[in-house]
């Protein structure tokens, strides 16, 4: 099995995400706020997949010794640099997560859920306990649990699969569709910071990070058919979890509220 086989297998799931009816249902500022209040969790947990790859494929200990492929080390460190300390729309250094929070605050979207979640984690020190005891919607819990199960217990090529096909390879097309609908359906709303966030991700992932992430998977799997099959399985799961999350947000929009556990 090669990268083309994986891409062919997951193509229907990617198509389902790119054509998801959720996007056309974001027709008001309130709709947009609700979407952001869910999506911010995916913006945040992306970093754990990236950091898990950095821990597995580069040396993050003292004393330092060279680990793995220099090309792979470059990819991981380059993405970490962009994600943690990129230039925001005002020319200042900021992580993409912090950019997203600023965009939410500009629109008066509720950032309390994500902030309280992170405070809860700081006190529990166990991400799985934090997810389980939170009042977040089940689909969001499943999405987060999948991320942290893969990043905590996955093999390097499995983490790379979730990272590449669940995020980097998917994001340019998905974010382009989201952005197109935002601009079409909400012309009167000032979403300058949000547009910058999405356009920055599209630019980075389409031109640089996406192709390099695919090359990383090829280096990690080489001609090992078992590894390629595991990459395929994890990639499918990652996309299925995103679809379930999108379905839940769509349902929330019809009810005009974040679907929290009672």
């Amino acid at each position: 099995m090669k990268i083309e086989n994986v891409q062919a297998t997951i193509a229907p799931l990617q198509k389902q995400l790119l054509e998801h009816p959720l996007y056309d249902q974001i027709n008001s500022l309130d709709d947009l706020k609700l979407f952001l209040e869910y999506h911010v969790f995916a913006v945040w947990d992306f970093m754990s997949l990236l950091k898990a790859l950095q821990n597995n494929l580069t040396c993050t200990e003292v004393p330092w010794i060279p680990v793995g492929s220099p090309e792979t080390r470059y990819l991981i460190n380059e993405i970490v640099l962009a994600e943690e300390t990129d230039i925001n729309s005002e020319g200042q250094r900021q992580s993409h997560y912090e950019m997203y929070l600023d965009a939410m605050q500009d629109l008066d979207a509720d950032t309390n859920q994500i902030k309280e979640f992170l405070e809860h984690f700081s006190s529990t020190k166990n991400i799985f306990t934090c997810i389980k005891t939170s009042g977040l919607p089940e689909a969001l819990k499943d999405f987060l649990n999948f991320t942290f199960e893969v990043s905590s217990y996955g093999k390097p090529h499995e983490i790379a699969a979730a990272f590449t096909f669940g995020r980097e390879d998917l994001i340019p097309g998905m974010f382009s569709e989201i952005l197109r609908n935002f601009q079409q359906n909400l012309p009167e709303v000032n979403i300058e910071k949000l547009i910058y966030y999405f356009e920055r991700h599209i630019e980075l992932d389409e031109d640089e990070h996406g192709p390099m992430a695919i090359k990383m998977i090829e280096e990690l799997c080489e001609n090992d058919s078992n590894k390629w099959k595991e990459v395929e399985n994890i990639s499918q799961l990652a996309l299925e979890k995103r679809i379930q999350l999108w379905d839940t947000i769509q349902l929330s929009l019809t009810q005009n509220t974040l679907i929290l556990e009672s």
Side-chain angles (χ1 to χ4, degrees):
M1 182 182 290
K2 299 294 182 183
I3 204 80
E4 293 80 7
N5 300 100
V6 177
Q7 290 170 323
T9 299
I10 65 175
L13 292 171
Q14 289 182 320
K15 185 173 186 290
Q16 193 174 340
L17 277 165
L18 294 177
E19 298 176 357
H20 201 285
L22 163 67
Y23 313 131
D24 287 328
Q25 287 192 229
I26 302 174
N27 296 311
S28 69
L29 179 56
D30 285 343
D31 292 340
L32 177 58
K33 289 179 185 180
L34 194 58
F35 171 81
L36 300 179
E37 287 159 17
Y38 272 100
H39 185 241
V40 66
F41 283 88
V43 174
W44 166 72
D45 83 334
F46 166 84
M47 281 303 298
S48 290
L49 285 171
L50 178 55
K51 287 296 186 177
L53 284 172
Q54 190 177 39
N55 288 339
N56 275 274
L57 302 176
T58 75
C59 183
T60 56
E61 299 176 346
V62 176
W64 177 89
I65 57 171
V67 172
S69 158
E71 189 71 23
T72 300
R73 295 198 300 265
Y74 170 76
L75 164 69
I76 299 304
N77 291 326
E78 177 74 10
I79 298 177
V80 168
L81 179 67
E83 286 290 333
E84 284 193 312
T85 56
D86 203 3
I87 299 291
N88 67 16
S89 60
E90 297 172 354
Q92 301 167 334
R93 290 286 175 191
Q94 201 173 38
S95 71
H96 287 176
Y97 168 70
E98 290 164 318
M99 287 184 202
Y100 203 85
L101 284 183
D102 279 357
M104 290 179 69
Q105 289 164 349
D106 252 20
L107 296 169
D108 200 28
D110 187 2
T111 59
N112 288 331
Q113 285 287 337
I114 183 68
K115 289 179 179 178
E116 288 171 4
F117 181 86
L118 295 184
E119 286 173 6
H120 186 200
F121 169 70
S122 295
S123 63
T124 63
K125 300 299 181 184
N126 185 308
I127 189 60
F128 297 105
T129 298
C130 183
I131 294 168
K132 183 178 180 180
T133 57
S134 73
L136 297 175
E138 281 302 318
L140 187 47
K141 284 185 175 184
D142 287 346
F143 187 89
L144 294 172
N145 272 320
F146 172 78
T147 295
F148 288 101
E149 284 167 3
V150 173
S151 58
S152 300
Y153 309 120
K155 303 166 189 174
H157 60 279
E158 291 176 321
I159 303 171
F163 174 81
T164 300
F165 293 116
R167 307 293 177 110
E168 295 294 85
D169 187 57
L170 173 70
I171 279 174
M174 187 173 69
F175 276 14
S176 294
E177 189 63 24
I178 290 172
L179 190 56
R180 183 186 68 80
N181 280 273
F182 284 175
Q183 293 172 315
Q184 177 179 302
N185 296 341
L186 302 166
E188 75 289 353
V189 179
N190 182 358
I191 55 173
E192 180 181 337
K193 286 186 178 179
L194 195 61
I195 289 173
Y196 181 88
Y197 168 86
F198 281 116
E199 288 183 340
R200 183 66 178 141
H201 261 282
I202 292 165
E203 175 190 4
L204 286 172
D205 295 342
E206 190 168 50
D207 296 339
E208 301 173 31
H209 297 168
M212 292 171 73
I214 287 174
K215 183 176 181 180
M216 172 180 61
I217 288 184
E218 290 176 325
E219 289 187 1
L220 289 172
C221 292
E222 295 183 323
N223 293 315
D224 189 322
S225 59
N226 289 330
K227 287 184 178 179
W228 279 113
K229 186 61 181 175
E230 287 169 339
V231 162
E232 183 182 272
N233 291 340
I234 289 291
S235 300
Q236 287 178 292
L237 276 172
L239 294 170
E240 287 167 1
K241 296 298 181 184
R242 174 77 72 162
I243 290 168
Q244 290 165 11
L245 179 59
W246 265 204
D247 290 344
T248 295
I249 301 175
Q250 184 185 3
L251 179 60
S252 289
L253 287 173
T254 66
Q255 301 179 8
N256 199 31
T257 184
L258 200 68
I259 301 176
L260 301 176
E261 284 191 335
S262 59

